[in-house]
Amino acid sequence: MRLILKIIIFTFLLAQILVFGQNTSDDSLLKKAYSEIYDRPDSAISIGKKILKKEKDINQLIKIYSLLSTANIAKRNFEESLQYIIKAKELGKKTNDLKTQTSLLISLAIQYEQMELFSKSFETLDEADTYLSKLPDGLYEKYFETGRSYAIRGMIYKSQSNSEIALEKFLVSVANFEKIKAKKRTYVNLSIVYYNIGSCYLNLDQSEKAKSAFLKAIDYAQKDQAKSLEAFGLKGLAEMYKLNHESQTALDLLHKAENLCSNTGDLALSEGIYKEMSDNYLALGNSALYQTYNNKVFALRFKREENELSSINHSIDDYNKEIIKKIQDVKLHFKYIRISIIIIGLAISLLLISLILKIKRENKKYQTEIQKLIRY
């Protein structure tokens, strides 16, 4: 259960950002790439990199970097994902678009949450809130980004085993997504949030509410043909049946989930499914299959943790570079101050010397005149 609490599925929240209002000739390719992020992430990455080579427009570059970040996070390749979303964020600073800047900050917060850098995630969300507050009420992006923001906060509290507060955040998230008139755009997000609501209810031993939430998650996933999300919903149901000692029913659901996510490359999802399978086979006394799936769990966990560690190290490197840059900026600032003080000091010295020389010349002149007067 502790592993399941740590499995993050917010990659789908990233897919719906920055994909509207495209005007270039590569629109169709970019849309195709977004449609393949979860079932064929490698294809999405290939398309994104192809478009990236010839793109110059800042807004389009932001979309492409966001696509590449999302596709890599779908594969749990956090290192590359983090690099791309940071590039998108830096480009976003060059625009005056509040919607873009808000979206990129929340996407970065998702990245940090996935890496379990919760304080960084909260810090980034707080920064995003300053932009969100400036967006007018009734705007699609305001409801969408607010929904994402509360969903991330809920995920963090859930990871910290605080299901009650997590539920509060998830329900606010749902309320915001439901305000969006274009309902089709909310299916993926509602599926994600309801899966997590179901997990919270499961942690609170409220099986019926958990079942209802998981079924909603599956329903919304099917409406959007999001196979990975449907797999998550099925896995959630399987957890519930396992806790009710209905291991065979749980296994039937898990095998279906395994087939659905076979091409996604989502290591955490596959790991979670195999973990549930091994638990249920153990409960049924099938030691051979228990061992088979348990070995798969360890293999995937090692690969996932290796990727996550690499990403965290890269994040630390970026943070250190940022600190070094700030220190250099401060040093440069003080260097300019010192130079300014020296210049001002020299200017004052020259002025004083000039005044002294002037006074001496005048004194000498007065002395000469006085001597002339005395002679007469």
Side-chain angles (χ1 to χ4, degrees):
M1 183 63 66
R2 187 173 180 80
L3 171 65
I4 302 307
L5 287 173
K6 291 183 178 179
I7 293 177
I8 312 301
I9 58 173
F10 272 103
T11 59
F12 293 88
L13 288 173
L14 296 168
Q16 295 186 25
I17 65 170
L18 306 170
V19 296
F20 309 108
Q22 299 171 4
N23 297 311
T24 72
S25 60
D26 291 315
D27 281 359
S28 58
L29 277 176
L30 200 56
K31 290 176 182 177
K32 183 177 185 294
Y34 268 98
S35 70
E36 293 184 338
I37 280 178
Y38 307 111
D39 292 331
R40 298 180 63 198
D42 288 324
S43 174
I45 291 170
S46 177
I47 294 172
K49 287 182 176 180
K50 181 180 178 181
I51 302 173
L52 186 63
K53 290 178 180 178
K54 55 183 177 180
E55 188 58 63
K56 300 298 181 184
D57 180 74
I58 287 182
N59 292 319
Q60 285 297 96
L61 285 171
I62 290 172
K63 294 170 189 175
I64 297 167
Y65 282 136
S66 298
L67 162 74
L68 292 170
S69 175
T70 307
N72 275 287
I73 212 171
K75 295 178 62 179
R76 304 290 164 168
N77 189 345
F78 290 133
E79 183 175 3
E80 286 197 41
S81 177
L82 182 63
Q83 290 181 49
Y84 284 125
I85 197 62
I86 287 175
K87 286 180 180 179
K89 180 175 175 285
E90 291 305 310
L91 285 176
K93 290 179 181 179
K94 297 180 180 180
T95 72
N96 293 319
D97 190 342
L98 286 175
K99 293 181 288 186
T100 297
Q101 292 172 336
T102 303
S103 185
L104 289 170
L105 282 170
I106 292 178
S107 296
L108 183 58
I110 292 171
Q111 176 81 66
Y112 288 135
E113 187 272 339
Q114 296 248 330
M115 298 165 66
E116 297 188 359
L117 300 174
F118 297 143
S119 61
K120 287 288 291 181
S121 185
F122 274 131
E123 179 186 326
T124 307
L125 286 172
D126 290 341
E127 186 180 353
D129 284 345
T130 61
Y131 291 97
L132 266 176
S133 63
K134 297 176 184 178
L135 294 176
D137 293 334
L139 195 66
Y140 162 81
E141 287 82 1
K142 183 161 188 173
Y143 294 136
F144 179 74
E145 300 302 347
T146 302
R148 290 208 303 161
S149 178
Y150 275 94
I152 302 164
R153 294 177 190 276
M155 281 297 297
I156 294 173
Y157 285 116
K158 194 184 88 164
S159 297
Q160 296 172 334
S161 301
N162 198 332
S163 295
E164 291 88 351
I165 295 180
L167 272 172
E168 292 176 9
K169 304 301 179 185
F170 288 138
L171 291 174
V172 174
S173 176
V174 167
N176 275 276
F177 285 131
E178 288 181 342
K179 290 178 183 178
I180 296 172
K181 294 179 180 179
K183 296 300 180 185
K184 288 184 178 180
R185 294 180 181 176
T186 67
Y187 291 157
V188 163
N189 306 289
L190 287 170
S191 177
I192 293 166
V193 178
Y194 272 118
Y195 167 80
N196 285 281
I197 288 173
S199 294
C200 288
Y201 281 130
L202 209 57
N203 295 333
L204 295 171
D205 295 322
Q206 298 183 38
S207 295
E208 287 304 312
K209 288 185 177 180
K211 182 178 181 180
S212 175
F214 287 136
L215 289 173
K216 285 182 180 179
I218 293 169
D219 181 54
Y220 280 118
Q222 289 174 339
K223 286 180 178 179
D224 202 74
Q225 297 181 338
K227 294 180 180 179
S228 292
L229 285 182
E230 186 180 350
F232 267 108
L234 290 168
K235 183 175 69 64
L237 277 180
E239 290 178 54
M240 186 200 70
Y241 282 113
K242 181 186 74 173
L243 292 174
N244 292 333
H245 307 291
E246 299 179 55
S247 295
Q248 190 54 58
T249 303
L251 282 168
D252 292 340
L253 293 169
L254 290 167
H255 281 295
K256 185 177 179 181
E258 181 186 18
N259 291 332
L260 285 169
C261 70
S262 59
N263 295 321
T264 63
D266 190 328
L267 300 179
L269 174 56
S270 296
E271 180 187 337
I273 291 171
Y274 291 147
K275 175 66 169 61
E276 290 299 310
M277 283 182 168
S278 64
D279 288 348
N280 282 287
Y281 278 122
L282 182 63
L284 292 173
N286 192 329
S287 58
L289 287 175
Y290 160 75
Q291 193 61 51
T292 297
Y293 284 102
N294 200 44
N295 289 340
K296 289 184 178 183
V297 170
F298 282 112
L300 286 174
R301 184 177 300 169
F302 177 79
K303 186 176 180 181
R304 176 177 57 82
E305 289 178 350
E306 189 177 40
N307 288 345
E308 290 174 0
L309 182 60
S310 177
S311 300
I312 291 171
N313 287 337
H314 185 79
S315 179
I316 292 171
D317 288 342
D318 285 340
Y319 180 74
N320 288 337
K321 287 177 183 177
E322 185 179 340
I323 294 298
I324 290 170
K325 185 178 183 300
K326 287 181 179 178
I327 291 172
Q328 289 173 341
D329 289 342
V330 170
K331 286 182 177 179
L332 187 63
H333 177 69
F334 280 110
K335 181 180 178 181
Y336 287 140
I337 290 176
R338 285 198 299 270
I339 292 172
S340 299
I341 291 172
I342 291 170
I343 292 172
I344 292 170
L346 287 172
I348 292 172
S349 298
L350 289 171
L351 180 62
L352 288 172
I353 291 170
S354 176
L355 288 171
I356 290 168
L357 291 174
K358 183 180 179 181
I359 291 170
K360 283 185 175 182
R361 284 196 301 269
E362 289 179 350
N363 286 340
K364 189 174 182 180
K365 179 182 176 183
Y366 292 147
Q367 287 174 358
T368 304
E369 291 178 355
I370 291 169
Q371 286 176 0
K372 286 181 180 179
L373 289 171
I374 291 172
R375 287 173 187 172
Y376 289 108

